[in-house]
Amino acid sequence: MKTVKVDLRKEIDNSYEILIGSDFIKGILADFDPNATFYVIDKNVFNLYPFLRELKNKYIFETSEKSKNINSVAEILNFLKNSNCLRDSKLVAVGGGIIGDVAGFAASIFMRGIDYYQVPTTLLSMVDSSVGGKTGVNLGDTKNLVGSFYQPKAVYIDMKFLNTLSFEEYKNGLAEVVKYAVMFDESFYNMLIENYAEVEQRGNILQDIILKCCQIKADVVKEDEKEKGRRMLLNFGHTFGHAIEVDSEHKIKHGFAVATGMYLETLFGQFMKQVDSDVTDKIRIILERYGFELNYKYLDEEKFIGAIAMDKKARQSGVVLALTQKVGSGMLLKGVELNFIREFFVSLRS
Ligand code: GLY
C-alpha cells in the first residue's frame, strides 16, 4: 500500500480581527467595493439605520428562530447567484445571531466558500455568535443541526447598534456575558456583580465587557476551533437551554433559556454530586441579580428530553455537559446518561 498525504497544516490561515468601537461601521463599509460586496441585512436593523439603504446589493431578511432554516439559506444563495456574486466577492452579514449563522453558512457553501464579514447588531451576537465561525441552521426542531465551521474575515462590533436594541434583546445577550464570567473568569464575575447597575443601563463599562467576552472567546477558539474539547465549555447552559427553547416553542428566547439552563445544569451537577452547593448559590446570585428566571417546568417531557438527546452535544457515549466546580474554571461532565437527566427533572416536579 502507498500513502499520499494531503498536508494542509500550513496552507490555511484563518486568523482575523475583531474591531470594537462606536460609530465606525459606515466608514468601513464605504471602503468595500460596491460591485463586489453583497449584504444580508436584518429587516429591523435596515429600517432603523438609513445609511444601510445606500448599499448596493442587499438582501433584507426578516428573522425569527423559525426562519433559521435551510430554505432561508437557499434564498440567500439565489440572491447571490442572481446578483452576480463571484468567487472573490464578499458577503457581509448585518444583524443578530440568526443573520450571522444563516448568512455565514450560505457564504461557506456558495461557490465552495466566499469571504464573509460579520457586523453583529445585538449584544448576543457581539459577545458570542459572530466570533468563532460556527454557522448553520436548525433542521426541524433540532437547533443548529446543519452547519459548518467557517471563520469570517473580520468582525466589526459597532456599539452604536446597541442604542436601538430593546431591553429584552439586551438581556438576551447578558446571559451569554454571565456565561463567560462563570466559566472562565472569577474577577469578571465579581465585576459583573459589583457593576450591575451600570451594566443594566448600558453605561461605558459595556465596551470593556464586550472586549472581555471576545478575548475569552478568541482564546478558546484559538485552542479548539472545531469544538473537540475546551470549546464545549462555551455550551454551558445550552444543552438544557436548547431543550427549553424547543419545549416552549421558542417563546423563551435563546439567552433567557441559556440563563435558566445554566442554573438547572448546575443544579443537575449538584444532583450528580459533581458540584458543591456554594457554586450553585453563586450562579443563582448572579442570574437573580440580572433578573433571570431560574426554574422551568417542561410542557412535554418527551419533547424536552428528546431535545436534549438530539442536541448536537449528545454523543453516542452520552450527553456532554459543561459545568463549573469553581466560578471561573469550567469543566466537562462526559457520558451523562439521559436517565439521570430525566430523574433529575422528575425530582424538580415533586
Ligand atoms: N456559541 C458557542 C460557540 O461558539 O462555541
Side-chain angles (χ1 to χ4, degrees), residues 128 131 134 179 217 227 231 234-235:
D128 185 32
V131 177
K134 272 192 186 175
K179 175 189 82 178
K217 182 138 190 197
E227 199 178 275
R231 187 165 181 170
L234 295 171
N235 295 331

Side-chain angles (χ1 to χ4, degrees), residues 140-286:
D141 253 358
T142 309
K143 283 192 57 106
N144 304 325
L145 193 68
V146 177
S148 58
F149 286 101
Y150 192 65
Q151 302 295 340
K153 287 288 158 198
V155 180
Y156 301 119
I157 299 181
D158 193 325
M159 311 272 302
K160 187 179 73 165
F161 288 115
L162 295 179
N163 297 336
T164 50
L165 201 65
S166 69
F167 180 66
E168 197 196 20
E169 264 307 330
Y170 181 64
K171 221 171 130 180
N172 203 30
L174 284 177
E176 297 281 1
V177 172
V178 169
K179 175 189 82 178
Y180 286 109
V182 168
M183 291 307 263
F184 299 99
D185 192 330
E186 191 171 16
S187 60
F188 188 28
Y189 171 95
N190 293 332
M191 188 267 242
L192 289 175
I193 294 269
E194 281 157 26
N195 297 285
Y196 155 76
E198 197 182 342
V199 178
E200 275 258 294
Q201 286 155 21
R202 308 182 203 190
N204 290 337
I205 202 169
L206 202 48
Q207 182 155 337
D208 293 338
I209 287 177
I210 293 171
L211 179 65
K212 180 88 199 161
C213 295
C214 289
Q215 278 166 339
I216 295 174
K217 182 138 190 197
D219 283 348
V220 172
V221 171
K222 182 176 154 199
E223 197 180 313
D224 178 22
E225 184 186 350
K226 300 277 168 71
E227 199 178 275
K228 303 275 186 234
R230 188 165 168 75
R231 187 165 181 170
M232 284 189 234
L233 296 179
L234 295 171
N235 295 331
F236 178 44
H238 286 61
T239 304
F240 289 2
H242 282 171
I244 293 172
E245 283 181 84
V246 169
D247 182 58
S248 72
E249 297 188 336
H250 301 287
K251 289 189 183 74
I252 300 182
K253 287 189 160 216
H254 181 72
F256 293 84
V258 165
T260 308
M262 286 192 280
Y263 178 68
L264 293 179
E265 286 178 10
T266 307
L267 211 53
F268 175 73
Q270 204 181 310
F271 175 82
M272 296 294 286
K273 304 200 175 3
Q274 299 291 323
V275 176
D276 290 339
S277 61
D278 59 324
V279 175
T280 313
D281 286 345
K282 281 194 156 182
I283 291 170
R284 180 181 51 71
I285 287 166
I286 194 164

